[in-house]
Structure formats: structure tokens, C-alpha cells
Amino acid sequence: MDKAYIAGYMDGEGCFAATKRKDESYKRGYDIFANVSVSSVSSIVLKEIQSIYGGSICTKQRNKRHKPLMVLTLASKACVTLINDILPHLKLKHEQASLILELQSTRAYGNHNKGAILDRRDEIRARIKTLNKRGIEVVDTKS
């Protein structure tokens, strides 16, 4: 499957997220995890992406009038591999994807529990959350 096609699919149907998860073993009582998900009523493309990058597919029934929604979710190394492959081709979600890579890089070498790094991880999560809100205009910084 072409990386540019996957990038276009992710720009349209994907989500790059940073999720706060309670974990008392961390200094602040939580950690922030990166994940990438993409949804569709058809599993064809999702299964093809999964065969390349891994992840898990779950099915959600929204209501009786809609077809079931399939969601492919990738976390940790799998989402980093995907992002590294598609980043040059992303148009709408380039900043979110770049922030996910930065978030994941702060986990290396046990640094993820140090004050300044925790502050930066919180900033990254907040920025991704803002970018993912509906109605936010994306400014093209690559032109």
C-alpha cells in the first residue's frame, strides 16, 4: 500500500491523540500515551494498514440506523513507525503527527519521569487536544 495513500486516508479519517492515563508509579500520578486511530465502516483498508503496522481493530455499533464502525488503533512503536512513513505526505494532520513523535521521543532512556520532560509532555498533549477540536483551522506551514 502506498504511503501517500495511507497519509491521505489518515488526514481524512485518522486521529493522532495523546491520552492521559492514571498511573501511580509516575511522579505526577499519570502518564501520557500516544496513539493513532483510524475509523471506517469498511475493514478493507484498515486490515491492509494493520498488516503493515500492526495494531488492533475493534468494532463499535453506533446505533441501529448506522453501519458498525471499525477502528484500527496503533500505540507506541507501531504508531511511530506509521508516522515516520507517512509524515512527509500528511497535509492536514502534520503537526499532530510531529507532536506524537516528539511525545514518544521523551519516553526514551527513562527520561519520561523528570520534571521538565513531564511539563513538555503535558504541553504536547494540550496542543494535540487543541488541534483535534472541531472547527480549528489548519494553517499550512509547509508552503
Side-chain angles (χ1 to χ4, degrees):
M1 180 174 271
D2 185 59
K3 293 173 185 174
Y5 178 85
I6 296 171
Y9 202 80
M10 293 302 298
D11 265 336
E13 305 298 331
C15 178
F16 297 87
T19 308
K20 190 186 285 191
R21 199 175 305 159
K22 189 174 183 174
D23 187 336
E24 296 302 323
S25 68
Y26 289 88
K27 191 176 190 175
R28 295 187 178 170
Y30 63 87
D31 194 13
I32 298 173
F33 293 90
N35 69 64
V36 173
S37 61
V38 58
S39 306
S40 178
V41 295
S42 171
S43 65
I44 296 169
V45 175
L46 300 183
K47 286 181 178 177
E48 200 164 338
I49 294 170
Q50 183 186 38
S51 73
I52 300 166
Y53 298 102
S56 61
I57 296 176
C58 69
T59 304
K60 296 180 180 183
Q61 182 64 50
R62 299 175 286 176
N63 66 45
K64 292 179 182 178
R65 294 181 304 164
H66 292 98
K67 291 181 182 179
L69 184 68
M70 278 150 259
V71 181
L72 169 63
T73 304
L74 297 101
S76 303
K77 292 177 184 175
C79 73
V80 168
T81 303
L82 170 71
I83 292 169
N84 282 329
D85 282 352
I86 68 171
L87 191 63
H89 308 287
L90 286 171
K91 302 292 182 202
L92 301 176
K93 297 180 180 169
H94 190 275
E95 185 176 354
Q96 290 98 315
S98 296
L99 288 166
I100 292 293
L101 290 178
E102 182 182 349
L103 181 70
Q104 285 301 101
S105 73
T106 64
R107 297 191 66 79
Y109 312 113
N111 289 330
H112 61 281
N113 212 12
K114 294 182 179 167
I117 291 174
L118 292 173
D119 291 343
R120 180 62 187 144
R121 291 172 65 76
D122 284 332
E123 291 167 4
I124 292 168
R125 179 179 174 271
R127 179 66 182 149
I128 290 171
K129 194 172 180 179
T130 298
L131 289 167
N132 286 344
K133 283 185 181 176
R134 292 177 188 235
I136 299 295
E137 185 177 337
V138 177
V139 178
D140 184 7
T141 58
K142 296 194 305 184
S143 298

